[in-house]
Amino acid sequence: MSAETRPNTESLSTGSPLLITGADLAGAGAGDLLVIDGRIAAAGPDAGDQAPEGAQRYHAEGLVALPGLVDLHTHLREPGREDSETIETGSQAAAAGGFTAVLAMANTSPVTDTAESAERIWDLGQRAGYVDVHPVGAVTKALAGEELAELGLMARSRARVRVFSDDGKCVHDARVMRRALEYIRSFDGVISQHSQDPSLAGPTACCHEGELSGRLGLPGWPGVAEESIVARDVMLARHTGSRVHVAHVSTAGSVEVLRWAKAQGIDATAEVTPHHLLLTTDLLTTYDTVFKVNPPLRPQEDVEALREALADGTIDIVATDHAPHVRQDKEHAFTDAAFGMLGLETALSVISTVMVAQGRMTWADVARTMSTDPARIARLTDQGQGLTVGAPANLTLVDPDRKVTVDAANSKSLSRNNPWHGRELVGGVHLTMLRGRVTAREGLVWGAQA
């Protein structure tokens, strides 16, 4: 069914029963979804039979219905760098990208290392109302890597923090990492590690170490700097009986370590970013700083290993590492420019293009890696529950055949450091729904006060 024959989103009355008809239910075949009072009341081919008289209908033939996407790794910059992004603008970008929940990293200014700062992030996200914004707590005070932050107080706060990370910096001291893992075990938390041994890849390292980095004169970032920390941390997780999560895996060597750890029954999970699944280090030959990211883009053989690992479950989830920057932070010599790139609005399209369209994953796999498992890792009780009766109606409708030409100027983000600008991707978000309320449709967004 064409977009022209679907009802306008504005005509959908919040709170009224809604029947979504004809969607492919996360790859399980065509069916209907009945939404009543913000929850899924019925799902499947016969769901329409249970719709009350007068229920609104939304024709979704040709679309794929997924549980609302969950991003375990987002940088929203507030507080401290509201010129790059705010919780409101980042939430708008997330909703437009099909997300119903994001986890906001702690490397703000000030750092999210207290219960009060975590609650502030949570409250701002609730006020905006586009997605659920869950704060990630810092592992160490001020991300200094020395003294543990208020892990227990953040966990007991209204924000119920369960994910902790010094992302942007590695918790490189093994003693501190061990203590953190032991501490968070009591409330079933998880440490998300930025795996970068600073003695092997210092703060200026910005290009995959190899022939290209030497030819370009850029400081090398060897894969072993990541792999050695991953190996150490999975052993610490086994020793402590706690949970560790490896952020933005970028090398084939890290995949080997993770595959071994899972075979041993170690409670280790991992994520890969969309950009590490498609972009390669040769893009740095132009010195275009939009492609400067940490960890750096890797060679094609690493990209292939990451794709295989995501498909076979060695890597558990996709996470965006959405990292907005204003122009003046990127318009420098490559070694001086800020690390990071945008990702929230394009993540689903990249995964559709690289993994689904090429037959590596099904839409059921997308639901698992971009919704169910991220929510499970973060211990989010009202996200990622699937298209099941009684679950909150957090939904994403995807047009799998839509061709998307990315235009950085059209982003909801305040920043424009978009590595996908000008690329054509296959598969686009059609509609996002948070607890039965439409938050986005084809680029338009609606918050709590809409």
Side-chain angles (χ1 to χ4, degrees), residues 344-363:
L344 283 169
E345 293 167 275
T346 51
L348 191 282
S349 295
V350 174
I351 298 306
S352 173
T353 302
V354 174
M355 302 302 292
V356 180
Q358 297 186 23
R360 293 184 173 95
M361 287 171 56
T362 65
W363 286 110

Side-chain angles (χ1 to χ4, degrees), residues 108-433:
T108 51
S109 181
V111 172
T112 309
D113 56 5
T114 66
E116 292 78 11
S117 58
E119 289 178 346
R120 175 65 173 164
I121 301 298
W122 169 257
D123 290 341
L124 287 171
Q126 290 293 295
R127 187 179 306 165
Y130 299 94
V131 297
D132 288 342
V133 178
H134 295 270
V136 173
V139 178
T140 64
K141 291 183 177 180
L143 309 182
E146 298 173 355
E147 185 179 354
L148 292 184
E150 296 180 358
L151 308 183
L153 291 177
M154 285 189 278
R156 294 191 295 272
S157 72
R158 285 186 289 106
R160 296 188 70 256
V161 178
R162 290 297 181 272
V163 181
F164 299 87
S165 181
D166 279 4
D167 185 62
K169 296 182 178 180
C170 178
V171 183
H172 61 87
D173 188 313
R175 180 181 61 87
V176 174
M177 186 64 175
R178 174 185 173 177
R179 288 177 56 211
L181 287 167
E182 290 172 336
Y183 196 102
I184 56 101
R185 185 180 59 198
S186 64
F187 49 79
D188 198 24
V190 64
I191 303 296
S192 176
Q193 174 71 292
H194 175 112
S195 302
Q196 180 180 359
D197 186 331
S199 66
L200 295 172
T204 64
C206 58
C207 179
H208 173 75
E209 185 177 276
E211 182 275 333
L212 183 65
S213 65
R215 178 156 53 89
L216 297 179
L218 297 175
W221 206 122
V224 70
E226 173 179 299
E227 296 149 8
S228 58
I229 295 296
V230 174
R232 183 203 73 178
D233 285 352
V234 299
M235 295 303 291
L236 287 174
R238 180 164 75 170
H239 179 75
T240 60
S242 194
R243 296 197 295 141
V244 67
H245 178 78
V246 184
H248 41 51
V249 175
S250 70
T251 75
S254 292
V255 168
E256 292 178 11
V257 175
L258 288 164
R259 192 167 280 131
W260 174 87
K262 287 176 179 287
Q264 302 302 308
I266 298 172
D267 202 348
T269 55
E271 71 189 40
V272 64
T273 68
H275 49 269
H276 284 117
L277 288 170
L278 183 56
L279 306 180
T280 55
T281 189
D282 58 286
L283 289 168
L284 273 60
T285 56
T286 63
Y287 295 96
D288 187 343
T289 58
V290 76
F291 298 116
K292 183 180 180 182
V293 66
N294 193 11
L297 301 179
R298 302 292 187 182
Q300 187 64 38
E301 54 265 31
D302 288 304
V303 171
E304 291 297 335
L306 295 173
R307 293 174 179 176
E308 179 183 349
L310 181 63
D312 69 21
T314 302
I315 293 177
D316 302 82
I317 69 169
V318 174
T320 71
D321 195 7
H322 176 84
H325 291 289
V326 292
R327 288 180 59 184
Q328 56 263 37
D329 290 343
K330 278 288 192 180
E331 292 182 347
H332 293 279
F334 198 90
T335 53
D336 298 325
F339 291 100
M341 50 184 62
L342 301 184
L344 283 169
E345 293 167 275
T346 51
L348 191 282
S349 295
V350 174
I351 298 306
S352 173
T353 302
V354 174
M355 302 302 292
V356 180
Q358 297 186 23
R360 293 184 173 95
M361 287 171 56
T362 65
W363 286 110
D365 295 326
V366 175
R368 171 178 54 83
T369 58
M370 297 189 73
S371 179
T372 306
D373 280 0
R376 174 183 57 82
I377 292 167
R379 299 301 192 253
L380 304 184
T381 58
D382 58 351
Q383 295 282 347
Q385 293 187 22
L387 306 178
T388 57
V389 174
N394 301 322
L395 306 173
T396 304
L397 296 182
V398 181
D399 185 342
D401 300 319
R402 177 183 166 197
K403 293 184 178 180
V404 179
T405 301
V406 180
D407 184 350
N410 291 335
S411 176
K412 302 300 179 187
S413 171
L414 288 180
S415 295
R416 295 293 179 264
N417 53 312
N418 192 325
W420 311 106
H421 177 69
R423 284 183 180 255
E424 183 177 88
L425 304 171
V426 179
V429 173
H430 173 76
L431 181 144
T432 310
M433 178 178 289

Side-chain angles (χ1 to χ4, degrees), residues 6 63 89 216 221 434 446:
R6 295 189 176 102
L63 302 180
T89 61
L216 297 179
W221 206 122
L434 177 65
W446 295 269

